[in-house]
Amino acid sequence: MKTPRSFYQPLAIGAPAPFRELPVSLERMIHFVPPHVEKMRAKVPDLISKVDVVLGNLEDAIPANAKEDARKGFIQMAAENDFGQTGLWTRVNCLNSPWFLDDILEIVPAVGHKLDVIMLPKVEGPWDIHYLDQLLAQLEAKAGLSRPIMIHAILETAEGVKNVEDIAAASPRMHGMSLGPADLAASRGMKTTRVGGGHPDYAVLSDAVEGSGRTAFQQDLWHYTVAKMVDACLSYGLKPFYGPFGDFSDPEACESQFRNAFLMGCLGAWSLHPNQIDLAKKVFSPDPDEVAFAKKILDAMPDGTGAVMIDGKMQDDATWKQAKVIVDLARLVATKDPDLAKVYAL
Ligand code: GLV
Ligand code: MG
């Protein structure tokens, strides 16, 4: 671990200094685009106005024989479009793949000035972050970039979960983390073929009572990992995200998974299908009634101290902070979403 004074030093002469505070940005959905498909690239200008983050995916789901086309396609879509306030991310191939190095070596010089975040899959420990951190600093210096590219880790191996706090602390370049339930299930030997969501067999049975049936209460398979990720991220000032939900035919279950993540502290989720964009928008924008109530709390306690009763509920310094989380998020959403801005009326 670096000493505090050197932690924020650039890792290469001429590289931009890392951010001390993460840029404020709305990231309710990270929308995945397969950049080797021309038809999909053609939709990017329209997507930019609909989503908070456009991500060019180079890793899993891109066939091995299309990896180079995906990389080229990403560079093309990054160069050809003006992303404005919408984030531009890429998910590169993992560190032990034959494609990772060229992903970074080609993308950073070509479009590094437009790239906000690199999503790094299958991060096992801080050493993975250190490697990419140093490499990016060298390439940023060489390309004369003035803004640092951030790193977002996917939490999707048992070892990564074991090391989650060290990953969060590894570099000031860290933006946040996403839960990767598919790879994580495989890595842990979990017995599910689903991509996120619950499983009917992961349940607790109600007590046996003579003469009545027993009810199985389904539990959340991801609760422990999401909680661990949220604590690691928030204690290091990073942003936690839920990752993919694979069953596109079950929007209700997707919404419920997204909502659990939102309530636990996550700021967004991946959208892999156009239907998931609106779901994420709905879930990760605070509920207007909650915003109105939170605003009441803030108005009733202008300096954030003391205790008041509102609608029969006790409010104090702690609930003031809870209310501020909701109102701050609503204000951020309002900057991007004129319809919700009207509803929130802040
Ligand atoms: C995402 O990459 C996952 O493995 O779930
Ligand atoms: Mg994965």
Side-chain angles (χ1 to χ4, degrees):
M1 183 79 182
K2 281 183 173 285
T3 56
R5 262 185 225 291
S6 56
F7 190 66
Y8 286 99
Q9 293 294 324
L11 293 182
I13 297 166
F19 292 117
R20 283 187 178 250
E21 297 290 336
L22 289 183
V24 176
S25 42
L26 189 62
E27 291 158 345
R28 293 167 297 181
M29 75 298 293
I30 301 161
H31 190 74
F32 273 52
V33 175
H36 59 299
V37 184
E38 200 181 332
K39 199 175 81 187
M40 295 297 181
R41 282 202 309 272
K43 294 185 179 172
V44 170
D46 184 45
L47 269 179
I48 290 172
S49 62
K50 294 206 166 80
V51 305
D52 296 339
V53 175
V54 175
L55 176 145
N57 178 29
L58 310 183
E59 200 225 11
D60 292 355
I62 307 298
N65 63 7
K67 292 286 187 188
E68 278 163 31
D69 286 346
R71 188 189 302 141
K72 284 193 182 68
F74 175 70
I75 291 172
Q76 190 183 333
M77 72 182 233
E80 278 175 358
N81 290 287
D82 178 358
F83 289 83
Q85 290 307 304
T86 302
L88 174 65
W89 297 21
T90 181
R91 177 171 80 164
V92 294
N93 287 287
C94 59
L95 286 165
N96 63 2
S97 75
W99 305 290
F100 166 83
L101 189 60
D102 287 337
D103 289 345
I104 303 292
L105 290 181
E106 290 180 27
I107 288 170
V108 176
V111 290
H113 59 293
K114 296 183 100 172
L115 189 61
D116 295 296
V117 175
I118 290 180
M119 183 183 272
L120 185 63
K122 303 178 177 67
V123 173
E124 304 267 31
W127 51 88
D128 290 339
I129 305 298
H130 295 156
Y131 172 68
L132 179 56
D133 196 9
Q134 182 68 67
L135 184 60
L136 284 176
Q138 291 170 328
L139 292 171
E140 285 168 346
K142 197 169 168 202
L145 300 190
S146 55
R147 195 181 55 136
I149 298 167
M150 292 179 281
I151 301 175
H152 182 102
I154 312 182
L155 194 59
E156 54 180 352
T157 68
E159 190 171 359
V161 175
K162 175 170 94 51
N163 292 323
V164 66
E165 286 182 26
D166 294 339
I167 294 168
S171 162
R173 206 187 274 282
M174 283 298 293
H175 162 278
M177 287 182 209
S178 290
L179 172 78
D183 270 301
L184 184 55
S187 166
R188 279 177 172 160
M190 291 166 70
K191 312 302 179 290
T192 168
T193 53
R194 298 177 174 205
V195 177
H199 193 289
D201 296 339
Y202 191 72
V204 173
L205 274 190
S206 62
D207 286 355
V209 177
E210 183 99 30
S212 63
R214 301 180 72 172
T215 312
F217 297 98
Q218 201 172 318
Q219 308 289 300
D220 182 355
L221 268 177
W222 305 108
H223 178 80
Y224 155 78
T225 317
V226 172
K228 199 168 167 172
M229 176 181 74
V230 168
D231 283 344
C233 283
L234 271 292
S235 53
Y236 288 95
L238 313 183
K239 301 181 184 180
F241 291 77
Y242 176 76
F245 189 91
D247 187 352
F248 303 152
S249 69
D250 193 352
E252 250 181 278
C254 178
E255 184 173 335
S256 152
Q257 178 76 72
F258 284 6
R259 182 158 289 109
N260 287 349
F262 174 69
L263 289 169
M264 291 276 292
C266 291
L267 294 173
W270 302 1
S271 48
L272 303 181
H273 186 277
N275 295 347
Q276 294 180 339
I277 296 173
D278 282 339
L279 280 183
K281 209 173 268 187
K282 177 170 156 202
V283 171
F284 291 100
S285 307
D287 176 65
D289 291 340
E290 279 277 64
V291 175
F293 188 66
K295 181 76 178 21
K296 258 194 202 179
I297 299 174
L298 297 189
D299 290 345
M301 299 171 63
D303 70 353
T305 68
V308 294
M309 294 297 290
I310 300 179
D311 302 347
K313 300 184 185 80
M314 189 276 299
Q315 312 299 333
D316 66 2
D317 307 43
T319 58
W320 185 91
K321 289 178 199 147
Q322 289 176 275
K324 188 159 179 322
V325 168
I326 304 222
V327 171
D328 285 351
L329 179 58
R331 286 193 205 283
L332 185 60
V333 170
T335 60
K336 170 119 186 179
D337 193 324
D339 293 339
L340 274 173
K342 270 196 219 118
V343 179
Y344 293 153
L346 288 165

